[in-house]
Amino acid sequence: MKKEIKKVLDDAKRYLVQQESLFGDEIILPKQSSDEPKQSPVEKNVGDEQFGVDPSWVESKTLNELETKIRNCVKCPLGKTRTNFVFGVGNPNSEIVFVGEAPGMDEDLQGEPFVGRAGQLLNQLLASVGFRRDEVYICNVLKCRPPGNRDPLPSEIEACSPYLVKQLEIIKPKLIVSLGRFPIQTLLKTNAPLSSLRGQIFEWHGIKLIATYHPAAALRNQQWKRPLFEDLRKAREILYQK
Ligand code: URA
């Protein structure tokens, strides 16, 4: 018994030392214990008829219902400049969801996430680790394209991210793969740099969450392609481990 207690304390110490070396004073791994009351992760009703959104979107039971209720959203200025609302694509029952940042030009024109160059690399990487694009689900933090592909603004993330949260709540995947810094920072509510989060497995509302590089970053910087591939391989292993 004494030995077991010592092992638990040693493990806890190792964990805290590791966390401190990664994040300083900031602790960003609040695992939800299973006996905590289960709360809907959608925190607030951003729906508002005046912004083209059916306020009952928060009660949506399916992705189709959700999309229909929010696709005319003009809650932030991107709603006025977009060509298409880019909701998400793939298997609504997928055990794995890939979350990117925001639609680019190709995605805005076609209304589908990850169809441009970054999307082609993502498709190749998915295939190389054994996933078919049509068996997984792919979406973004923002549903509308920021002009000129600039970074999403905090106000845009605040307005749009509840839709992502609702998508995840409906799909209930076993694993979320965050592509790039915006999805992981949004879901974990942290400003920690991607370099300190990448490759790690977190938990978000009882769902495993792994952070990796964005495929567009791997196109710009070839040295990130292999770690991205390794992270996707790890995602596959996590999903299919017994
Ligand atoms: N980059 C993203 O983050 N998402 C897309 O859909 C396309 C490019």
Side-chain angles (χ1 to χ4, degrees), residues 86 99-105 107 112-116 118-119 138-142 179 183 214-216:
V86 183
V99 185
E101 174 181 314
M105 187 178 74
E107 292 75 22
E112 182 171 327
F114 284 101
V115 289
I138 304 174
C139 59
N140 286 305
V141 177
L142 295 193
L179 303 168
H214 193 288

Side-chain angles (χ1 to χ4, degrees), residues 69-151:
K69 287 179 171 164
I70 65 173
R71 69 179 164 215
N72 296 319
C73 178
V74 285
K75 206 159 172 58
C76 80
L78 302 184
K80 302 244 164 69
T81 53
R82 69 170 175 245
T83 311
N84 282 297
F85 185 86
V86 183
F87 180 74
V89 72
N91 174 5
N93 302 311
S94 178
E95 294 189 331
I96 184 165
V97 173
F98 294 84
V99 185
E101 174 181 314
M105 187 178 74
D106 296 302
E107 292 75 22
D108 178 57
L109 291 174
Q110 296 183 44
E112 182 171 327
F114 284 101
V115 289
R117 279 186 69 221
Q120 282 160 22
L121 176 59
L122 179 63
N123 291 348
Q124 278 172 9
L125 288 164
L126 289 179
S128 69
V129 299
F131 288 120
R132 281 198 337 264
R133 182 177 164 105
D134 64 354
E135 71 177 343
V136 304
Y137 193 82
I138 304 174
C139 59
N140 286 305
V141 177
L142 295 193
K143 309 304 184 211
C144 302
R145 180 192 182 207
N149 296 349
R150 62 158 168 75
D151 283 350

Side-chain angles (χ1 to χ4, degrees), residues 151-159 182:
D151 283 350
L153 301 175
S155 57
E156 292 159 357
I157 293 177
E158 197 189 337
F182 288 99

Side-chain angles (χ1 to χ4, degrees), residues 146-169:
N149 296 349
R150 62 158 168 75
D151 283 350
L153 301 175
S155 57
E156 292 159 357
I157 293 177
E158 197 189 337
C160 207
S161 59
Y163 299 150
L164 167 66
V165 170
K166 187 70 202 178
Q167 283 174 301
L168 295 170
E169 187 184 39

